[in-house]
Amino acid sequence: MKIDPVKMKRLFDLIRNKFFLATVAFVLWMIFFDKNDLFSQYEYHQQLNKLEAEQQFYKDETAKVNKDLDELNSNKVKLEKFAREKYLMKKDNEDIFVIVHEKKD
């Protein structure tokens, strides 16, 4: 394969062109050395995806808690059950027995 001298001269002239060199230097700087380089942008994108997933999780949890709160405010039986289970509340004529299951390791 023979290299054409005219094409070689054009390539050499292009490489020596100060505008071409400045553009290449700028692109390299922006890709690798700037504080917002490609690696940083990738990390920011990953972090954004993680935060959006957390945001959706907390929105879902808030909706679930609000639903439970509405049920507790509107249903007396559920409120009593919740108080008995979570806070070990009882009526005056009742006794409470708490059964704790031991974990086997």
Side-chain angles (χ1 to χ4, degrees):
M1 182 171 160
K2 191 166 184 160
I3 299 175
D4 187 17
V6 175
K7 288 184 181 179
M8 189 65 152
K9 183 173 181 345
R10 289 179 75 196
L11 180 64
F12 186 67
D13 288 342
L14 177 66
I15 292 174
R16 288 184 50 211
N17 187 330
K18 63 183 174 182
F19 297 111
F20 177 76
L21 291 175
T23 303
V24 169
F26 175 75
V27 168
L28 289 175
W29 182 265
M30 294 305 291
I31 291 175
F32 297 109
F33 302 113
D34 192 53
K35 73 175 187 173
N36 295 319
D37 60 353
L38 285 178
F39 183 70
S40 298
Q41 291 297 321
Y42 178 74
E43 287 180 345
Y44 294 150
H45 184 69
Q46 294 295 96
Q47 187 176 16
L48 178 64
N49 288 341
K50 180 182 170 191
L51 291 173
E52 286 174 346
E54 284 182 22
Q55 180 184 25
Q56 187 60 43
F57 169 77
Y58 287 122
K59 282 182 180 180
D60 294 342
E61 288 295 312
T62 303
K64 187 166 62 169
V65 168
N66 284 335
K67 180 181 171 255
D68 291 343
L69 180 63
D70 289 341
E71 285 182 5
L72 290 176
N73 287 335
S74 64
N75 192 341
K76 203 84 157 146
V77 174
K78 286 200 182 235
L79 180 62
E80 186 176 323
K81 180 182 175 188
F82 180 79
R84 287 174 183 262
E85 290 176 356
K86 297 289 183 183
Y87 298 109
L88 303 176
M89 293 184 167
K90 66 179 187 79
K91 293 182 181 177
D92 290 334
N93 60 354
E94 293 179 332
D95 291 328
I96 295 181
F97 297 97
V98 178
I99 300 171
V100 179
H101 298 284
E102 292 183 12
K103 292 183 178 179
K104 293 183 180 180
D105 293 328

